[in-house]
Amino acid sequence: MSAEINHNVEWDLAVSLSFDSVVPKPATQLPIAEAIDMVLAQDLTADIDLPPAHTAMMDGYAVFGQGPWRIVGELHAGSFLPYLESGCALKVSTGAHLPPHCSFVIPQEIATLFEGDVASKSSFTPGQHIRQPGDEALAGESIAAAGTLLTPAIAGLAASSGIDEVLVHQPPEVSVVVTGSELTSSGKPGPGQIRDSLSVQVTPWAQYLGAKVNASVNCSDDLNALQEAIKNSDGDIVIVTGGSSFGEHDYLRPALEALGAIYVVSEIWMRPGHPTLLAKLPDGKLVAGLPGNPLAALVSFMTVVAPALRGLSGQSEYRMSKVPLAKGFECDRTRVVPIVLTSGAAEMTEFRGSAMLRGLSQADGLGVISPGENPSGTLIRVLPLPWRIN
């Protein structure tokens, strides 16, 4: 393996190096419904005005000219009448397409009806309670930028705008290798064993961020077995939990050396997750080495896996919100800890050791606390949890 240029780097640099280590996946054209939770590869442009016609904003009476108005018919969503005589009214339902010259709509609850006519004691401005064509978007207008995640709301907007298919980046693909001879996957652990808590977590972490998980396997603490597991894994990123440090039975780094990998990041000046690594194999596939402790594993995942997944899917780097610390906290390196937000301030959860999940289970996010004294009120960044990002 080549010289480890990016050894023991600061947290922000690790995030940037991860993001910069990839290029967006190729784009593909898909029907809108099949592309939800994928990232747009080009701007979405409305094909039609939205709405496409003058539209009733509420149930009531569309009128034209001076009142009182003779009620001459009804219009419901899905029906259309091109013209309305002066002095006449149409009973309309919300969403009905109106004759373009209608004066306004009298809401049903304040309409006065008598002998087939309608009137109102209230006065209205021209066009009141009528949506104008294109007041949300004009044909040819960009309604979502490339790099935007296609959410259900954006998909609905696209469909309303006359769009049937969208160009989106293909989703990243990952494989997961959970290492540890001490792990057992069911029942009560025996002497020397612990339950595997990562296999049930890492796959959904990646899926929440839009990745396709090709496989998740368990691997004993054995150099040859780990080397084969990595070599046989398919995808853009192989996520390996455990064995990323430098102990006698930590085999990830020797396995990567044997496979000819080059480090993108080797160790990060943070807690938890200091021995985190990101390496690139000769075929271009990334290997992310996460600690075996569950909280440390998530912190490392959000530091070196999540940015690469964003880059592969065509998204930009993180934009994190900032909140004040409820209590002062001094640290010598970046700390990434589970937090709860109380009255707009961040409080660290009680159970936040690297092997603990209880604090994480209660958390609103991960607080990124920079090195220094950090007195109460210091603004810290909030890293969203994978299951809260979208």
Side-chain angles (χ1 to χ4, degrees), residues 35-308:
I36 291 176
D37 283 338
M38 298 171 73
V39 177
L40 295 172
Q42 66 180 26
D43 290 355
L44 281 187
T45 302
D47 279 353
I48 59 173
D49 291 342
L50 184 63
H54 294 79
T55 307
M57 296 176 64
M58 57 188 63
D59 294 349
Y61 296 86
V63 303
F64 176 49
Q66 298 296 314
W69 299 270
R70 172 65 56 180
I71 301 171
V72 295
E74 295 188 19
L75 274 182
H76 304 289
S79 59
F80 176 67
L81 185 70
Y83 187 74
L84 181 65
E85 295 284 349
S86 181
C88 294
L90 294 167
K91 186 177 182 181
V92 296
S93 57
T94 303
H97 287 186
L98 308 178
H101 56 283
C102 284
S103 302
F104 46 81
V105 171
I106 302 171
Q108 181 172 290
E109 59 271 19
I110 60 173
T112 301
L113 303 178
F114 56 96
E115 296 180 354
D117 286 357
V118 62
S120 174
K121 294 180 181 179
S122 300
S123 59
F124 301 94
T125 58
Q128 193 167 348
H129 305 313
I130 298 175
R131 289 188 66 193
Q132 302 299 309
D135 71 354
E136 187 169 3
L138 294 170
E141 183 179 346
S142 176
I143 54 175
T148 301
L149 186 72
L150 186 66
T151 62
I154 295 175
L157 176 62
S160 298
S161 303
I163 298 169
D164 297 317
E165 294 187 340
V166 291
L167 190 68
V168 290
H169 291 285
Q170 296 174 13
E173 297 184 22
V174 305
S175 292
V176 180
V177 179
V178 176
T179 72
S181 298
E182 77 280 14
L183 300 179
T184 180
S185 59
S186 62
K188 294 181 180 179
Q193 294 181 322
I194 60 172
R195 278 296 299 268
D196 170 15
S197 68
L198 283 175
S199 292
V200 297
Q201 294 188 81
V202 181
T203 290
W205 292 346
Q207 290 172 331
Y208 282 127
L209 299 188
K212 175 185 176 184
V213 179
N214 292 327
S216 178
V217 299
N218 289 76
C219 181
S220 61
D221 290 321
D222 178 87
L223 176 58
N224 291 329
L226 179 56
Q227 188 175 323
E228 286 299 308
I230 294 171
K231 187 166 64 174
N232 295 330
S233 294
D234 294 324
D236 303 293
I237 307 176
V238 183
I239 302 170
V240 181
T241 68
S244 64
S245 194
F246 298 89
E248 183 180 352
H249 301 289
D250 292 318
Y251 295 111
L252 179 54
R253 293 173 190 268
L256 291 174
E257 175 136 3
L259 292 169
I262 298 173
Y263 282 125
V264 177
V265 172
S266 174
E267 295 187 279
I268 303 172
W269 190 240
M270 70 175 183
R271 290 183 62 192
H274 175 248
T276 300
L277 67 85
L278 185 67
K280 185 168 287 190
L281 296 174
D283 63 1
K285 185 165 51 183
L286 288 173
V287 179
L290 316 183
N293 282 330
L295 175 58
L298 176 62
V299 169
S300 300
F301 177 91
M302 295 305 297
T303 303
V304 299
V305 178

Side-chain angles (χ1 to χ4, degrees), residues 287-357:
V287 179
L290 316 183
N293 282 330
L295 175 58
L298 176 62
V299 169
S300 300
F301 177 91
M302 295 305 297
T303 303
V304 299
V305 178
L309 291 178
R310 291 181 68 86
L312 287 163
S313 64
Q315 292 177 289
S316 60
E317 289 194 71
Y318 296 126
R319 288 192 301 174
M320 290 179 281
S321 60
K322 292 184 178 182
V323 297
L325 270 174
K327 297 178 181 178
F329 185 79
E330 184 175 358
C331 53
D332 67 340
R333 66 187 73 185
T334 299
R335 292 293 303 269
V336 185
V337 296
I339 58 169
V340 292
L341 300 175
T342 305
S343 300
E347 294 189 12
M348 289 177 279
T349 60
E350 178 182 358
F351 303 96
R352 56 178 184 271
S354 65
M356 295 181 174
L357 284 171

